[in-house]
Amino acid sequence: MGEKYVAYPWIGCGDCEVCKADDEHLCSPLSTKNIGINIPGGYGEYVLVENEKYLFSAGDTPDNLAGSYACRGLTAYSALKRANPSKGDNSLVIVSAGGLGLLALQIAKAAYDINPIIVDIDDEKLAAAKEAGASEVINSTHEDAAQKLMELTGGGARYIVDYVGAAASVNFGYNLLRRGGIYVVTGLFGGSINIQLPLLTVGARQLVGTYVGSLAEMRELMELVRNGKIQPAKVESRPIDQINETLQDMKKGSLPGLVSVHHE
Ligand SMILES: [Zn+2]
């Protein structure tokens, strides 16, 4: 009693092979039971969670921030895990100096002891990333961007994690992988790209998509959060009756940053 928990919402059917392999977040869209997507409860004052294994202590995390770790935090963490960089390898490249990119930067520092290279198209955001601990920052719209990244990574990147997922960002980064390199896409900006298949083969490259994260990853992430390894992001808290305006603002791209809604 009295303890605060974050609910893991990516609950699967529990019966299929994927769920039995502890990848509930990848359960079929036809059978999955994601809270707030397939079953109600995302904005509710109360939510029914079918098993306590989906609950994680929030520790001292502010109420209006804690829930975001089950989505954006988990997404940032799981994508980094997929790239699987070596501890202390500062040649890790993170695409995005936005909210998700900066969160990934903190997780890279906390979980991998890495000060990554950050790529973005906005100089102001890149300056913030440098301040937050990026070892180097690159504006991908600058003419010498590709060359700079090649130099910083010693001839091509081993790991790139892309939190934008736009045609432009993947086109920029994918071709800068070294042989055997991995490009992880988790952003949902959209678009499509052309891939030269012989280069995929000869370069032994991996182009990988990730979506949110597993229950085990959620457990690891929340441990980092409770141990104070992730600096709390700024959140604007709005009452639940402003939810429709807030979603409209998000659609228009006019949200100031992270916004949570609360019940009075
Ligand atoms: Zn399932």
Side-chain angles (χ1 to χ4, degrees):
M1 281 295 282
E3 184 125 10
K4 290 173 182 171
Y5 292 93
V6 179
Y8 175 87
W10 314 109
I11 298 172
C13 71
D15 293 325
C16 70
E17 292 307 314
V18 175
C19 285
K20 283 179 182 160
D22 289 329
D23 281 326
E24 288 190 52
H25 61 302
L26 302 179
C27 181
S28 160
L30 300 176
S31 53
T32 193
K33 295 183 282 181
N34 291 180
I35 298 172
I37 297 179
N38 307 86
I39 61 167
Y43 295 126
E45 187 172 7
Y46 296 93
V47 61
L48 194 59
V49 179
E50 64 178 48
N51 189 310
E52 64 184 350
K53 73 177 178 181
Y54 299 116
L55 298 178
F56 296 89
S57 169
D60 300 329
T61 315
D63 289 359
N64 60 12
L65 179 66
S68 72
Y69 287 113
C71 187
R72 64 198 285 277
L74 185 59
T75 297
Y77 181 64
S78 180
L80 276 178
K81 280 206 76 159
R82 196 62 195 269
N84 193 23
S86 303
K87 281 227 164 187
D89 186 345
N90 285 351
S91 75
L92 169 73
V93 178
I94 289 176
V95 180
S96 164
L100 206 51
L102 292 186
L103 180 59
L105 186 155
Q106 288 195 47
I107 296 173
K109 287 200 295 184
Y112 293 98
D113 199 17
I114 287 175
N115 292 83
I117 299 163
I118 306 270
V119 175
D120 201 284
I121 56 173
D122 184 321
D123 281 330
E124 216 169 289
K125 289 181 182 169
L126 285 170
K130 189 87 184 94
E131 189 124 316
S135 58
E136 301 282 350
V137 294
I138 297 176
N139 186 323
S140 57
T141 63
H142 291 181
E143 223 171 84
D144 61 346
Q147 193 192 343
K148 192 172 170 194
L149 192 132
M150 291 300 266
E151 280 166 16
L152 289 173
T153 54
R158 270 177 82 187
Y159 340 88
I160 302 181
V161 187
D162 185 337
Y163 292 100
V164 179
S169 66
V170 181
N171 270 323
F172 172 79
Y174 177 74
N175 291 313
L176 301 173
L177 285 179
R178 71 171 59 177
R179 287 183 100 178
I182 181 167
Y183 196 102
V184 181
V185 186
T186 197
L188 286 169
F189 193 88
S192 58
I193 58 161
N194 258 324
I195 291 179
Q196 296 296 322
L197 294 176
L199 290 181
L200 180 72
T201 307
V202 176
R205 290 172 177 169
Q206 295 182 68
L207 178 60
V208 173
T210 66
Y211 176 68
V212 295
S214 70
L215 196 59
E217 288 165 345
M218 180 75 184
R219 190 173 303 117
E220 293 166 12
L221 172 68
M222 288 311 292
E223 204 170 302
L224 290 173
V225 171
R226 283 193 305 272
N227 291 339
K229 304 277 190 188
I230 316 286
Q231 219 183 335
K234 253 195 242 154
V235 194
E236 183 190 330
S237 199
R238 299 183 182 178
I240 189 71
D241 60 12
Q242 286 179 22
I243 185 64
N244 289 330
E245 291 96 306
T246 303
L247 291 172
Q248 286 301 328
D249 287 349
M250 184 160 68
K251 207 171 169 185
K252 283 185 284 186
S254 62
L255 283 186
L258 199 55
V259 174
S260 76
V261 289
H262 64 267
H263 294 265
E264 298 295 345

